[in-house]
Amino acid sequence: MTFDNLAQALSQFHFLRPWWLLSLAVIGGLWWYARFRSGPRTEMPSVIAPHLAAALTIGAEKRTVLRPIDTVALVLSLLVVATAGPTWSRQPNPLVSDEAPLVIALKVSESMMEPDIPPTRLERAKHKILDLLQARAGAKTGLVAYAGSAHQVVPLTEDPDVLKPFLEGLDPSVMPVKGSAAGSALQLAQSLLDGQEEPGSILFMLDTLSSEEQASISGRDPASGASLSFWVFSRDTGDLPPGRVVTVSADTRDVEQAVRNIDAAYQAALSQDEKAKWRDQGVWFAWPAALILLFWFRRGWSMRWSVFLFVAVLSLPADDARAEGWRDWFFTPDQQGRMAFEAKDFAKAAELFTDPSWKAYALYKSGKYEEAAKLYAWQDSSDAALGEGMSLMKSRSYRDAIDAFQKALDRDPANEAARKNLELAKYILEYIERTREQSDTSEEAGIGADDTVYDNEAGRGTETQQQSGETMPETAEQWMRTVDTQTGDFLKSRFALENARGPQ
């Protein structure tokens, strides 16, 4: 944890159940009484010489040594603090990604072709982007390329295979205008993040910034919400506006630093979301207590009554909802489920979670869409109805998904994610029905499998060639192989057209 992250955590530190801290006064009083006030005190007769009385007194020289009551008080204090619910971060919404959406603004200019960072600054930046995608597997990532003008290369997507072929085609020759328009790239990147529910980040990968670019970036609206960071691919970093700056390295330290910066900004933004729940961090205080308990079985550390306490704990009725194993002593089922979820073991997380929202989301991530939809259906929140609709969409039950999204909007008309997915589900259903009707019409007319047909009676419109045995490509990489022109040529033509049209 960096110093900035530590300062941020300390500023947000508080207790979810602070009334438990009153128990510390009781524990302190009992410790003081047992330590200094209790115990037999035998006074030697005055006729005995002082040096003989000291020799006959057992344990007098060990009064300052750590005693069992000290460890008991420390363990109880740690457990009380853990029960009070210390927290310094919020839980992300289980219906959205647990990682921040990221838009990469890559500078594609002639200066990025310098070989001072071999093979070139641009090629090294491309390699680092691939490493970043791997480190943030499953997170939404978009790409913007800029030189004298800025252009969207790939919108936000969770599939890195969509981004890779376009990344390879980027070169200064595809950019329609020479120069460096970081301000335009910033505006374009921000527009990609505006439709996202969770707070996002913008990462500039560049070599230098002019004074005009610094002024345009520094003067951006602070209420935009997106955090800003820079990844410098140059031996001379120069002056950069205030923000998180990463310098390129030969190993993966720069990638790790970039990921930490994005995560830190994401957590800082989540802490400002009043709707998000605070994450109970009591486990960090329970672990030291469990470690100290191990010393109770050492000679001279144990107390006779601790045996009765140990037996009493074992005699407590077991919670049927707990998972089996040693983790039950230290973690709740939801905490165990969260650990499995963060380890990408979604099937195990679904078994461990007792919280219905997290359990349904784990089922959704593990591919059990029908089970997730049923569990979401029992919950009465707008987000739960949104999750039900997304699960039904994945299982291709589009009519039911439309009903679920509409239910989410009825519960919360401001739920933009439900509104957008409702429009998408209606579009998909309409497209399927229209395609099915056209297919039925073609069969009735006796059109062959290899015939050319048109989408209207006048013979004008979209021309469709149906070939027997032909299947659509399933991945972005397979789709790119079907494109006759090179990716660079495609980007060059698209960027030139966008530049000719001007700002939309």
Side-chain angles (χ1 to χ4, degrees):
M1 178 179 290
T2 63
F3 178 78
D4 293 339
N5 295 344
L6 178 60
Q8 174 188 334
L10 292 176
S11 65
Q12 299 171 358
F13 182 86
H14 66 281
F15 291 94
L16 300 175
R17 298 170 291 274
W19 55 86
W20 274 96
L21 299 178
L22 298 175
S23 304
L24 293 176
V26 179
I27 295 173
L30 293 175
W31 169 80
W32 181 82
Y33 180 81
R35 189 73 158 82
F36 301 105
R37 301 290 296 177
S38 63
R41 294 193 178 188
T42 304
E43 297 292 341
M44 289 293 180
S46 58
V47 297
I48 300 178
H51 66 282
L52 294 177
L56 294 173
T57 303
I58 300 176
E61 71 282 359
K62 297 182 179 180
R63 289 183 179 179
T64 59
V65 179
L66 186 66
R67 297 175 61 182
I69 188 61
D70 300 331
T71 60
V72 173
L74 179 58
V75 169
L76 291 178
S77 299
L78 289 172
L79 293 178
V80 166
V81 173
T83 306
T87 181
W88 52 85
S89 62
R90 292 184 184 267
Q91 292 183 355
N93 189 334
L95 294 178
V96 299
S97 175
D98 53 356
E99 294 190 64
L102 172 68
V103 176
I104 301 173
L106 176 62
K107 186 176 181 180
V108 187
S109 64
E110 295 294 342
S111 64
M112 290 291 287
M113 300 303 293
E114 293 293 331
D116 57 339
I117 299 180
T120 63
R121 297 175 180 177
L122 181 59
E123 287 302 318
R124 178 63 67 87
K126 291 180 180 180
H127 295 160
K128 292 297 182 179
I129 289 177
L130 296 178
D131 293 339
L132 185 62
L133 292 174
Q134 184 177 2
R136 286 171 33 89
K140 294 181 180 179
T141 306
L143 179 61
V144 169
Y146 76 95
S149 58
H151 304 272
Q152 173 187 299
V153 181
V154 176
L156 288 168
T157 176
E158 297 179 359
D159 187 1
D161 290 334
V162 175
L163 191 146
K164 291 177 181 178
F166 289 98
L167 183 65
E168 295 174 358
L170 286 177
D171 184 85
S173 62
V174 307
M175 306 304 294
V177 181
K178 306 302 180 182
S180 180
S184 300
L186 177 61
Q187 295 178 3
L188 181 56
Q190 184 62 59
S191 66
L192 295 179
L193 294 172
D194 287 341
Q196 300 298 310
E197 289 190 14
E198 59 268 43
S201 295
I202 300 174
L203 173 62
F204 273 90
M205 305 186 76
L206 45 73
D207 49 2
T208 58
L209 274 177
S210 65
S211 57
E212 293 79 6
E213 291 175 305
Q214 294 184 35
S216 62
I217 291 177
S218 301
R220 71 173 184 141
D221 184 6
S224 60
S227 66
L228 190 61
S229 57
F230 302 88
W231 201 336
V232 183
F233 291 83
S234 174
R235 299 300 182 187
D236 182 15
T237 58
D239 295 329
L240 292 175
R244 296 179 171 88
V245 178
V246 178
T247 55
V248 65
S249 65
D251 51 17
T252 60
R253 288 178 298 175
D254 51 354
V255 179
E256 296 169 355
Q257 181 62 47
V259 172
R260 286 196 297 267
N261 291 342
I262 297 169
D263 291 342
Y266 183 49
Q267 294 299 326
L270 284 179
S271 64
Q272 305 301 323
D273 185 4
E274 298 298 334
K275 296 181 180 179
K277 296 181 180 179
W278 288 98
R279 179 180 296 170
D280 193 337
Q281 305 282 8
V283 64
W284 294 106
F285 292 86
W287 272 114
L291 181 62
I292 295 173
L293 283 174
L294 297 178
F295 291 94
W296 274 23
F297 299 96
R298 289 179 57 87
R299 183 177 180 181
W301 283 63
S302 61
M303 301 178 66
R304 289 187 296 272
W305 58 267
S306 64
V307 177
F308 299 100
L309 178 62
F310 183 74
V311 174
V313 171
L314 291 181
S315 64
L316 292 175
D319 185 0
D320 295 335
R322 294 186 305 175
E324 297 180 357
W326 62 269
R327 291 182 177 84
D328 300 333
W329 286 84
F330 308 105
F331 302 103
T332 66
D334 285 332
Q335 289 172 334
Q336 297 179 48
R338 181 66 181 177
M339 289 187 290
F341 189 91
E342 293 178 349
K344 309 297 183 182
D345 192 351
F346 302 118
K348 182 178 179 181
E351 296 177 0
L352 293 171
F353 274 127
T354 58
D355 183 275
S357 298
W358 279 103
K359 188 176 186 71
Y361 187 53
L363 288 170
Y364 175 85
K365 295 289 285 186
S366 62
K368 300 179 180 179
Y369 304 119
E370 295 181 358
E371 297 181 30
K374 293 178 181 179
L375 187 55
Y376 276 128
W378 284 97
Q379 304 173 44
D380 55 2
S381 66
S382 178
D383 286 340
L386 172 62
E388 179 187 0
M390 293 171 62
S391 302
L392 292 170
M393 283 274 286
K394 288 289 188 179
S395 60
R396 299 183 180 181
S397 301
Y398 300 111
R399 294 186 184 276
D400 294 335
I402 291 174
D403 295 337
F405 292 136
Q406 186 61 55
K407 179 169 59 176
L409 287 174
D410 293 340
R411 294 174 178 177
D412 181 12
N415 194 330
E416 290 299 325
R419 189 180 308 279
K420 292 179 180 179
N421 281 280
L422 176 60
E423 296 175 358
L424 177 62
K426 289 181 177 179
Y427 174 81
I428 294 176
L429 181 61
E430 181 183 356
Y431 175 80
I432 292 175
E433 291 180 345
R434 185 172 63 251
T435 304
R436 188 174 299 165
E437 291 175 358
Q438 292 176 353
S439 177
D440 294 341
T441 304
S442 299
E443 291 178 0
E444 293 174 0
I447 297 175
D450 294 328
D451 293 339
T452 300
V453 298
Y454 297 88
D455 63 349
N456 54 48
E457 296 179 356
R460 297 185 301 272
T462 303
E463 182 177 343
T464 305
Q465 181 75 21
Q466 299 180 357
Q467 297 180 356
S468 58
E470 182 178 334
T471 59
M472 293 295 293
E474 297 180 355
T475 66
E477 185 177 358
Q478 292 174 351
W479 178 79
M480 285 302 301
R481 293 197 188 104
T482 66
V483 180
D484 295 332
T485 58
Q486 295 293 328
T487 308
D489 296 335
F490 168 75
L491 291 176
K492 184 177 182 179
S493 300
R494 201 187 82 187
F495 292 170
L497 180 60
E498 292 175 353
N499 186 67
R501 289 176 178 175
Q504 300 295 319

